[in-house]
């Protein structure tokens, strides 16, 4: 079984937890990984997906999907941060539900932005 196949149930659970109309499907995630636009961080009981982007002179790593054991996710976060620093990132962002603010606060993360939406159809 390859890494994506091992991660798929955890990632799918995270996608399902988001809402009834997630912006990504598991197949979209697979394509992003295969095309090299995203990176999979796979633990024994968790999986995370990150991308790196450049904005206005800042290099940012963003975790936009994570699923599985929260304790393991939190323990892997410093490893991801170290990797991000090694490739020139100056910021780390996490996109997700409100609970991430509380979960990551002990590691120095702070609320940065709020997104609101309205389903039009």
């Amino acid at each position: 079984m390859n890494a994506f196949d091992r991660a798929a149930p955890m990632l799918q659970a995270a996608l399902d937890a988001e809402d009834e109309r997630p912006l990504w499907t598991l197949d979209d995630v697979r394509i992003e990984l295969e095309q090299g636009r995203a990176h999979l961080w796979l633990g024994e009981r968790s999986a995370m997906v990150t991308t790196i982007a450049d904005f206005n002179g800042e290099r940012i790593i963003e975790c936009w999907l994570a699923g599985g054991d929260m304790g393991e996710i939190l323990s892997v976060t410093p490893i991801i941060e170290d990797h991000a620093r090694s490739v020139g990132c100056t910021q780390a962002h996490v996109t997700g539900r409100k609970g991430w603010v509380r979960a990551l606060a002990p590691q120095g993360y702070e609320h940065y932005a709020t997104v609101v939406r309205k389903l039009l159809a």
Side-chain angles (χ1 to χ4, degrees):
M1 180 180 296
N2 68 31
F4 182 78
D5 291 339
R6 285 186 41 230
M10 294 176 278
L11 297 176
Q12 185 64 61
L15 290 168
D16 292 344
E18 190 65 31
D19 60 52
E20 73 276 5
R21 286 178 45 192
L23 296 176
W24 297 88
T25 67
L26 192 58
D27 195 47
D28 295 329
V29 175
R30 181 188 53 75
I31 291 167
E32 290 298 300
L33 294 167
E34 287 176 351
Q35 296 295 317
R37 293 185 295 260
H39 183 80
L40 176 65
W41 299 86
L42 181 60
E44 292 297 318
R45 300 172 315 282
S46 66
M48 292 176 276
V49 179
T50 61
T51 54
I52 294 178
D54 295 299
F55 293 102
N56 198 27
E58 299 281 335
R59 188 156 230 222
I60 299 166
I61 190 166
E62 180 177 13
C63 180
W64 51 269
L65 183 60
D69 180 76
M70 179 62 78
E72 186 175 84
I73 289 169
L74 295 175
S75 71
V76 171
T77 300
I79 296 166
I80 295 172
E81 292 169 358
D82 287 344
H83 167 75
R85 285 184 198 92
S86 78
V87 296
C89 291
T90 56
Q91 295 186 35
H93 292 193
V94 176
T95 300
R97 297 180 308 278
K98 289 181 186 179
W100 287 107
V101 175
R102 184 178 59 254
L104 290 169
Q107 293 189 17
Y109 285 77
E110 61 187 7
H111 179 262
Y112 173 69
T114 300
V115 176
V116 298
R117 77 169 185 179
K118 178 180 181 179
L119 300 177
L120 299 177

